Amino acid sequence: MRGRRVRLFATGLLALTLVAAACSDDDGGETGGGGGSTASGDCSQVDSVTLQLQWFIQAQFAGYYAAQDQGFYADQCLDVTIVEGGVDIVPQQQLADGAVDFALAWVPKALATREAGANIIDIAQVFQRSGTLQVSFADAGITTPADFAGKTVGNWGFGNEYEIFAALAQANLDPATDVTLVQQDFDMSGLLAGDIDAAEAMIYNEYAQVLETVNPDTGELYQPSDLNVISYEEDGVGMLQDAIWADGDRLETDDAYRDIAVRFVTASLQGWAYCRDNVQACTDLVVAQGSKLGASHQLWQMNEINQLIWPAPDGVGVINQEAWDRTAEIAQNTPNLEGTTVLTAPPDAGAFTNDIVTEALANLQDLGVDTTGDTYQPTEVTLNEGGA
């Protein structure tokens, strides 16, 4: 099996009798996600909770599986069922319909659902940075969005294309006449076949798929030097992505649900801190859960996901107002080819709250968990052919 070593670049209702302290323990213990843990088994009641993922099982969601596996949810008196996503599942709509208690969704997509009438609220912004790229072969000479002119540019559609359109607008390119936009599959087959000059990719997924492919000219895996990569985050048009969304009506009217939300965010973020410090263990956990892609691909993904989360200077999960405003502005003012924007008006002030995550961070600090990851450094990954 061919391998390659690369240095990753940084880039219903529930009882009101719950007592949060019932799940705590002052004796400390083995570190879990940065230090400290609570002891399970002290719960007067265990609450059942469902979380809807955005996609199939993969390291993009490792923090939640780690929180389950390491007992962080149990320590918070929660029994969490993680619901796998898929092509036809819209997580925020599942939440709006009452099918789940919490959902993971990209901010612009969830805001569109909120604008359509669903009272859903961002309560923890787990990914602090956008992971969307445009990937091309180096000989195409595409190093900035301005170089898209006259090129065939792939995008996934389904609300994933707006960073591309924002980059085109910033480069003063007309998406209808200056480029050829094509909808691509959720893979890199179009780029590899030469049908697309620049393909949309997530840094933690599709980009790695190219680097796991044999270059027919060399007989070895493609190298980063064979490719040019445009990061929309670095280009200034990155939009906020994975966040934890809650039911706004229940937050406003049900104190028990709000209490559960705080405990759920506490344990989930502890899971992410654990995966920051235990990259291989979280990779192994995701693979054991039945990920569709292989072990080296999942290790790459885990490492890149960590870089979208850490460091978190304001505290992991805190919604940064500047990043929120940029996302909302792009969503409101960037039309696609059909002239449609994600939003027709600015999101209202109730679309996100830092109240829940602030309480969660206080809980984590009491547990001794590092909530900023100031000293975080990415690791190195060996990618194998096909991601095996």
Side-chain angles (χ1 to χ4, degrees):
M1 186 67 68
R2 298 179 182 88
R4 174 181 73 71
R5 194 161 186 82
V6 293
R7 177 68 179 173
L8 302 186
F9 55 86
T11 44
L13 298 174
L14 302 164
L16 298 176
T17 57
L18 294 172
V19 180
C23 297
S24 66
D25 185 279
D26 294 331
D27 294 334
E30 196 70 22
T31 235
S37 66
T38 57
S40 58
D42 299 334
C43 304
S44 60
Q45 175 175 324
V46 174
D47 296 302
S48 296
V49 172
T50 49
L51 169 67
Q52 176 67 63
L53 303 183
Q54 296 174 87
W55 198 239
F56 302 107
I57 297 169
Q58 57 184 14
Q60 180 182 359
F61 314 115
Y64 309 102
Y65 285 107
Q68 188 179 62
D69 180 74
Q70 293 297 305
F72 302 149
Y73 288 134
D75 290 344
Q76 295 296 328
C77 304
L78 298 174
D79 178 14
V80 176
T81 298
I82 300 175
V83 183
E84 190 173 14
V87 177
D88 299 324
I89 295 174
V90 181
Q92 65 271 20
Q93 193 60 54
Q94 290 287 96
L95 174 64
D97 292 342
V100 294
D101 297 300
F102 302 99
L104 306 179
W106 284 18
V107 169
K109 297 180 184 182
L111 286 178
T113 301
R114 180 178 172 87
E115 186 177 79
N119 187 6
I120 57 175
I121 299 176
D122 183 348
I123 60 170
Q125 187 60 50
V126 179
F127 286 16
Q128 298 286 303
R129 291 164 279 279
S130 168
T132 311
L133 309 176
Q134 211 72 26
V135 179
S136 59
F137 285 110
D139 58 9
I142 302 172
T143 60
T144 71
D147 297 324
F148 290 158
K151 303 294 186 181
T152 300
V153 178
N155 71 89
W156 296 315
F158 301 104
N160 297 291
E161 72 270 29
Y162 287 94
E163 288 169 308
I164 298 174
F165 282 91
L168 289 170
Q170 187 169 270
N172 296 313
L173 294 177
D174 185 336
T177 60
D178 293 334
V179 299
T180 300
L181 291 169
V182 297
Q183 187 165 341
Q184 71 180 70
D185 293 331
F186 287 95
D187 58 36
M188 301 301 274
S189 58
L191 178 71
L192 293 167
D195 299 327
I196 295 174
D197 295 313
E200 187 171 12
M202 300 310 296
I203 193 169
Y204 52 81
N205 200 351
E206 290 80 14
Y207 177 53
Q209 290 176 20
V210 180
L211 299 175
E212 296 160 356
T213 301
V214 173
N215 180 344
D217 293 335
T218 66
E220 301 294 334
L221 298 185
Y222 281 109
Q223 301 294 304
S225 59
D226 296 322
L227 305 169
N228 283 331
V229 173
I230 294 171
S231 163
Y232 290 118
E233 180 71 21
E234 294 178 5
D235 203 52
V237 294
M239 301 174 81
L240 289 173
Q241 298 179 345
D242 293 33
I244 300 173
W245 293 78
D247 185 317
D249 291 331
R250 294 174 69 187
L251 283 179
E252 294 165 8
T253 62
D254 184 353
D255 289 341
Y257 177 74
R258 188 189 184 284
D259 176 67
I260 287 170
V262 172
R263 289 185 280 126
F264 176 76
V265 171
T266 298
S268 297
L269 297 182
Q270 189 175 7
W272 281 115
Y274 176 84
C275 286
R276 175 196 65 213
D277 301 334
N278 299 274
V279 176
Q280 186 64 60
C282 282
T283 300
D284 294 343
L285 176 59
V286 170
V287 172
Q289 289 288 330
S291 61
K292 293 181 179 297
L293 297 173
S296 74
H297 185 96
Q298 294 301 336
L299 184 60
W300 170 285
Q301 185 168 131
M302 184 70 259
N303 200 38
E304 291 296 339
I305 292 294
N306 273 333
Q307 294 177 64
L308 301 181
I309 302 172
W310 310 102
D314 297 329
V316 60
V318 170
I319 297 100
N320 177 274
Q321 187 69 58
E322 182 179 353
W324 179 273
D325 290 344
R326 181 181 69 239
T327 299
E329 189 277 329
I330 293 171
Q332 185 185 349
N333 297 315
T334 303
N336 61 16
L337 277 178
E338 290 73 39
T340 302
T341 57
V342 179
L343 302 176
T344 63
D348 62 281
F352 81 85
T353 178
N354 276 320
D355 293 347
I356 302 295
V357 72
T358 298
E359 291 186 42
L361 290 174
N363 292 341
L364 292 172
Q365 288 162 7
D366 288 343
L367 294 172
V369 175
D370 175 5
T371 59
T372 60
D374 292 338
T375 61
Y376 165 74
Q377 291 292 325
T379 186
E380 294 183 352
V381 174
T382 298
L383 281 173
N384 296 321
E385 183 177 350

